[in-house]
C-alpha cells in the first residue's frame, strides 16, 4: 500500500520530524511512504491532486488549500489524512494585522472536516480540531526527535558557560524578546550565547557566538553547549508551537530555561529537566544556579534526555502513528461516515 505525503518539501523541517521518521514503522505495517512537494502553479497543482488518488492514502501536511483544490483532492483521494503542527488557523505572533483571521479559520474548518483522520502536534491543536469534528477522527501525535542522533553534553566544570538557541529567521524575534532576561543573567554570570541559525542577532550586552545551521552539524553544536534557552510570546499562535527546539536541547542532555507558555509547561519538568522562568529576575536566578553547579546541569540534562526517550521519541510514537494510518483501511473503517459538505466527499467508487 502507498501513502503519499503532500508537503512543502522532503527537506522541510515538518516533514523531516513529523512524517519521515515513521517510514520504517509504516513499512513494517505494509505501507510505502512517498513524499511529493506540492506543485507550484494552479494547473500543475490541480493535476497533482487528481493523480493523488492513485495512492491508497494521502497525507496533506499543514497546507490549507484553496477550496477548489481541497475539493479536487477530496474527490480524488481514497483516504485523506491531515497533519499539522502549528496554529495555522491564526496569523503568527508578529503579523501587523493581528493574530485572528477568520478566513484562515474557515479554511482550517473545511480541511479538517474533509479529512478522514487529523494528526495534531499538541493538545491545543488537538482541541481545536476536535471542536469542529469531534475527537473520533483526531489523534495527538507530538513532534518527535531521534535521541540516538544526539551526542550528550559533557557539562565541564571549568570554562565559560555556554547558552544555546537554535532557530531560523522566522523565529528570530522570539530571541530578541529574551534580550532583557539575558541581560539580567549576564549581570550575574559570564556566558556566551551560541546561536545556531541562518541569521544572527545583535543583542547589546550579550556575547553572541554565531554558528551556521546545518543538518549534519546541529546535534554536535547543541551538545557543545551547557544550557538550552527558549521563549514563546504569550498568545494563541504560540500555543500551537510543538517545542522542537526544546526537545532537541533535551535530547542533547541540556537543561532548559524557558518561559511558562504553551508546550514549555508540558515538556519541561520545572526543577527536574530545567527551569521555567518568566521575569528577568527568574532568568538570572535559573542561569546563575546552573552556572554554579556542573553536577546539577548534568543531572538535569540526563533527566531531560530520559524524558525525551520516554515521551517524545520516534520509538515511543512510531507504532501509534503507523496504527492510526493502518486503521483507516481496515474493514471496520467505514468511509461512508465521512462528514462535511457533499462536494468535499470522495465519489462513490472510492467508498
Amino acid at each position: 500500500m502507498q501513502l503519499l505525503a503532500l508537503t512543502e518539501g522532503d527537506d522541510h523541517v515538518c516533514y523531516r520530524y513529523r512524517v519521515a521518521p515513521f517510514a520504517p514503522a509504516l513499512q513494517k505495517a505494509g505501507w510505502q511512504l512517498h513524499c511529493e512537494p506540492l506543485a507550484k502553479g494552479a494547473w500543475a497543482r490541480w493535476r497533482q491532486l487528481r493523480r493523488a488518488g492513485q495512492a491508497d492514502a494521502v497525507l496533506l501536511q499543514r497546507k490549507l488549500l484553496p477550496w477548489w483544490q481541497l475539493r479536487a483532492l477530496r474527490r480524488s483521494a481514497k483516504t485523506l489524512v491531515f497533519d499539522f503542527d502549528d496554529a495555522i488557523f491564526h496569523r503568527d505572533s508578529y503579523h501587523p494585522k493581528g493574530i485572528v483571521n477568520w478566513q484562515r479559520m474557515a479554511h482550517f474548518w473545511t480541511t479538517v472536516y474533509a479529512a478522514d483522520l487529523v494528526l495534531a502536534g499538541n493538545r491545543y491543536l488537538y482541541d481545536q480540531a476536535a471542536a469542529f469534528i469531534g475527537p473520533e477522527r483526531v489523534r495527538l501525535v507530538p513532534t518527535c526527535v531521534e535521541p540516538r542522533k544526539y551526542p550528550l553534553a559533557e557539562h565541564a566544570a571549568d570554562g565559560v558557560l555556554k547558552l544555546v538557541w537554535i532557530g531560523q529567521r522566522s523565529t528570530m524575534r522570539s530571541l530578541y524578546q529574551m534580550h532583557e532576561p539575558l541581560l539580567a543573567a549576564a549581570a550575574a554570570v559570564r556566558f556566551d550565547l551560541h546561536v545556531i541559525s541562518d541569521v544572527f542577532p545583535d543583542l547589546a550586552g550579550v556575547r553572541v557566538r554565531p554558528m551556521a545551521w546545518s543538518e549534519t552539524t546541529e546535534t554536535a553544536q547543541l551538545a557543545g553547549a551547557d544550557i538550552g534557552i527558549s521563549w514563546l510570546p504569550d498568545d494563541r499562535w504560540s500555543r500551537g508551537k510543538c517545542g522542537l527546539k526544546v526537545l532537541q536541547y533535551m535530547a542533547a542532555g541540556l537543561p532548559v530555561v524557558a518561559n511558562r507558555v504553551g508546550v514549555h509547561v508540558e515538556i519541561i519538568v520545572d526543577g527536574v529537566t530545567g527551569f521555567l522562568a518568566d521575569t528577568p529576575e527568574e532568568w538570572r536566578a535559573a542561569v546563575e544556579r546552573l552556572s554554579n553547579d556542573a553536577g546539577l546541569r548534568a543531572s538535569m540534562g540526563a533527566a531531560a534526555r530520559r524524558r525525551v526517550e520516554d515521551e517524545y521519541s520516534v520509538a515511543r510514537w512510531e507504532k501509534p502513528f503507523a496504527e492510526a494510518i493502518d486503521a483507516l483501511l481496515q474493514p471496520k473503517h467505514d468511509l461512508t461516515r465521512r462528514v462535511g459538505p457533499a462536494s468535499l466527499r470522495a465519489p462513490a467508487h472510492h467508498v
Side-chain angles (χ1 to χ4, degrees):
M1 296 179 291
Q2 185 182 57
L3 173 63
L4 172 64
L6 296 176
T7 73
E8 296 178 63
D10 58 7
D11 60 344
H12 192 276
V13 62
C14 297
Y15 178 75
R16 288 192 294 111
Y17 282 94
R18 290 193 55 78
V19 180
F22 300 124
L26 287 168
Q27 187 171 25
K28 288 181 182 179
W31 290 88
Q32 293 296 320
L33 174 64
H34 173 65
C35 176
E36 191 173 308
L38 281 162
K40 307 295 184 182
W43 177 242
R45 176 77 58 83
W46 183 84
R47 288 187 298 174
Q48 179 186 49
L49 298 177
R50 293 296 295 167
R51 289 196 310 270
Q54 297 173 7
D56 297 283
V58 178
L59 185 148
L60 175 65
Q61 189 171 51
R62 288 173 49 91
K63 186 69 173 179
L64 297 179
L65 298 173
W67 179 85
W68 67 270
Q69 293 182 14
L70 180 61
R71 180 177 184 272
L73 178 59
R74 176 66 279 183
R75 290 180 63 84
S76 173
K78 299 178 181 72
T79 301
L80 180 61
V81 180
F82 181 64
D83 173 70
F84 72 118
D85 64 344
D86 263 324
I88 52 176
F89 40 82
H90 291 316
R91 300 188 187 99
D92 69 48
S93 301
Y94 309 105
H95 199 286
K97 292 185 179 180
I99 291 175
V100 176
N101 185 308
W102 293 110
Q103 184 177 15
R104 291 191 184 195
M105 184 63 79
H107 278 300
F108 176 72
W109 177 85
T110 55
T111 301
V112 299
Y113 220 43
D116 297 299
L117 174 68
V118 176
L119 303 176
N122 69 24
R123 174 60 61 177
Y124 173 75
L125 300 177
Y126 173 95
D127 290 342
Q128 294 298 310
F132 288 116
I133 61 174
E136 296 82 8
R137 288 189 288 143
V138 186
R139 299 289 183 272
L140 197 163
V141 179
T143 296
C144 299
V145 296
E146 178 49 81
R148 291 174 297 181
K149 293 183 177 180
Y150 291 77
L152 287 172
E154 295 182 359
H155 296 296
D158 55 351
V160 177
L161 186 73
K162 298 177 287 294
L163 276 59
V164 66
W165 181 91
I166 187 170
Q168 53 190 336
R169 184 182 300 272
S170 62
T171 56
M172 183 58 66
R173 288 191 184 184
S174 67
L175 180 53
Y176 277 104
Q177 290 194 338
M178 282 187 275
H179 194 185
E180 186 176 355
L182 288 172
L183 283 175
V189 177
R190 182 170 177 259
F191 66 82
D192 289 341
L193 174 60
H194 294 192
V195 175
I196 306 170
S197 183
D198 58 342
V199 64
F200 303 101
D202 181 11
L203 298 172
V206 177
R207 295 188 305 177
V208 174
R209 182 179 174 187
M211 299 182 129
W213 177 87
S214 167
E215 185 178 357
T216 59
T217 61
E218 64 172 351
T219 58
Q221 290 171 332
L222 289 170
D226 297 303
I227 303 169
I229 61 171
S230 183
W231 185 279
L232 290 173
D234 190 3
D235 56 39
R236 283 179 282 186
W237 167 260
S238 296
R239 286 175 177 80
K241 290 297 179 182
C242 294
L244 175 58
K245 63 166 53 67
V246 171
L247 295 174
Q248 289 184 283
Y249 300 151
M250 293 169 65
L254 300 180
V256 182
V257 180
N259 61 335
R260 296 177 179 85
V261 172
V263 293
H264 286 169
V265 180
E266 299 175 21
I267 298 174
I268 301 165
V269 181
D270 192 25
V272 177
T273 65
F275 293 109
L276 295 172
D278 294 328
T279 67
E281 292 75 21
E282 288 175 334
W283 273 73
R284 173 174 176 159
V287 173
E288 188 171 18
R289 183 176 176 187
L290 289 168
S291 171
N292 293 333
D293 194 338
L296 178 62
R297 296 199 304 271
S299 64
M300 282 190 162
R305 171 71 169 238
R306 288 193 299 270
R307 179 155 173 77
V308 169
E309 291 172 341
D310 293 343
E311 301 295 339
Y312 297 96
S313 66
V314 174
R316 164 65 179 85
W317 285 96
E318 60 182 359
K319 184 177 179 180
F321 184 96
E323 288 178 344
I325 300 297
D326 203 40
L328 292 172
L329 296 191
Q330 298 302 316
K332 65 181 180 179
H333 181 74
D334 180 6
L335 294 184
T336 63
R337 292 180 63 251
R338 290 180 180 137
V339 293
S343 60
L344 292 179
R345 297 179 190 169
H349 68 272
H350 284 328
V351 175

